Amino acid sequence: MLILGMLAMVLPPMILVAQNNWSTEQGGHGPIVLATGLWLLAREYRSSRGLEERGNLLLGLVALALFLAAFIVLGITGILELQVVAMYGALIAGAYLLVGARMLRAVWFPIFYMAFALPPPDTVVATLTNPVKIAISQGAVSLLHAFGYPVGSSGVVIQIAQYELFVAAACSGLNSLITLSAIGLFYVYLRHRSDTRALILMSLLVVPVAILANFIRVLILILLTYYVSEAAAQGFLHDFAGIVTFAAALGTMMALEALYSRVTARKPEVVLHG
C-alpha cells in the first residue's frame, strides 16, 4: 500500500516533467541524473545498513502533512515546478519516518543530487543566469575585440560584422549550468567522498568551471557565425558546440583534480642539521 501510494503521487507529475522538461535542452540531463542518483542511493544505502531507526513520529507526520498539502494545492493551481519540489519533500519526510535521520545523513548526497532532475522555476533560472549571461557576453566581446574582430555588444545583443546575435540564443548553453554542475558534483563525490577537504574544494570549483565552459561555447558560436554563417552556427554546429562545452568542463575538472592531487601528494623535505 505504501509503494502504491508513493507511485500514485510521483508518477503523474513526473510524467509531465518528462514530457515538458526532460525533452528540452534545458532539462535533457534529468533522466541521466535520476538514473545515476538512484544507483548511487542504492549503493550508499547498502553500505550504511544498520543505521536505520524510526524517525520522530510527530516531526515526521507534521512535515509529511505540510508537503502533501502543498503538493495538492500546487497541483490544483498547475505550478508543476513547485509541485514536484513538494513531492520530493514529501518523499524525504516519508523516508525520515521509515529509516530515521542517521540514514538520511548517510545518503545525503544522492538525495541532494537527484534534486537536479527536477525542473527549477523559470524565474529562478532567469534570476541566476541573466547576470552570468551578460558577463559572459561582455567578456567574449572584449576578448574578440582585443584580437581585432569587428565585434560589439548592446545589452544582450552581440554584433559581429554584418551579423547580429541575441545572447539568449547564442548562449542557450547557460541552461547547461545546472547540467554541468550536477555532473561535476557527481564526479567529484565519487572521486573524493572519503576526503572532506578535497570534496569541498572541488565542489566549490564546479560552478566556475561550468561558467568557463559556457564562455568557450559563446566564443565558438560567435566565431562560427563570423567565419561560416549564422544558419550554420544555429544548426548542427550549435549542437557540436554544446558537446565541446561538456568536454571542456570535464577536461578542466580533471586537470584541476590532477593538480590538486599533485600538490597534496608532494611531501615536505626533511632537512637534517648537525
Side-chain angles (χ1 to χ4, degrees), residues 134 137-138 141-142 151-159 167:
I134 295 173
S137 62
Q138 292 177 347
V141 168
S142 299
V151 62
S153 64
S154 176
V156 294
V157 179
I158 296 176
Q159 298 91 21
V167 178

Side-chain angles (χ1 to χ4, degrees), residues 6 58-59 79 91 103 130 169 172 175 179 202 212 216 274:
M6 182 187 70
L58 178 60
L59 179 62
I79 308 176
L91 290 176
M103 177 59 77
N130 276 340
S172 60
N175 289 323
T179 306
M202 299 304 294
L212 174 63
I216 294 172

Side-chain angles (χ1 to χ4, degrees), residues 126 128-138 156 167-169 171 174 218:
L128 294 177
T129 60
N130 276 340
V132 180
K133 178 168 58 178
I134 295 173
I136 286 178
S137 62
Q138 292 177 347
V156 294
V167 178
C171 199
L174 279 172
V218 173

Side-chain angles (χ1 to χ4, degrees), residues 207-271:
V207 173
V209 167
I211 293 174
L212 174 63
N214 277 283
F215 177 76
I216 294 172
R217 177 174 186 169
V218 173
L219 284 176
I220 293 174
L221 292 176
I222 295 174
L223 292 174
L224 285 175
T225 301
Y226 180 68
Y227 284 110
V228 186
S229 68
E230 186 176 2
Q234 296 303 321
F236 165 76
L237 294 177
H238 180 275
D239 297 330
F240 176 76
I243 297 174
V244 173
T245 302
F246 282 95
L250 183 58
T252 304
M253 286 299 300
M254 294 178 71
L256 290 172
E257 181 191 28
L259 178 62
Y260 173 82
S261 299
R262 190 169 184 177
V263 170
T264 54
R266 186 178 302 167
K267 297 181 180 179
E269 297 182 358
V270 178
V271 180

Side-chain angles (χ1 to χ4, degrees), residues 3-23:
I3 294 175
L4 290 176
M6 182 187 70
L7 292 177
M9 177 183 70
V10 170
L11 287 180
M14 291 308 295
I15 289 174
L16 292 178
V17 168
Q19 293 174 343
N20 301 329
N21 182 263
W22 288 357
S23 59

Side-chain angles (χ1 to χ4, degrees), residues 109-143:
F109 182 80
I111 294 174
F112 169 73
Y113 172 69
M114 283 192 292
F116 283 92
L118 306 178
D122 292 336
T123 53
V124 174
V125 174
T127 301
L128 294 177
T129 60
N130 276 340
V132 180
K133 178 168 58 178
I134 295 173
I136 286 178
S137 62
Q138 292 177 347
V141 168
S142 299
L143 179 61

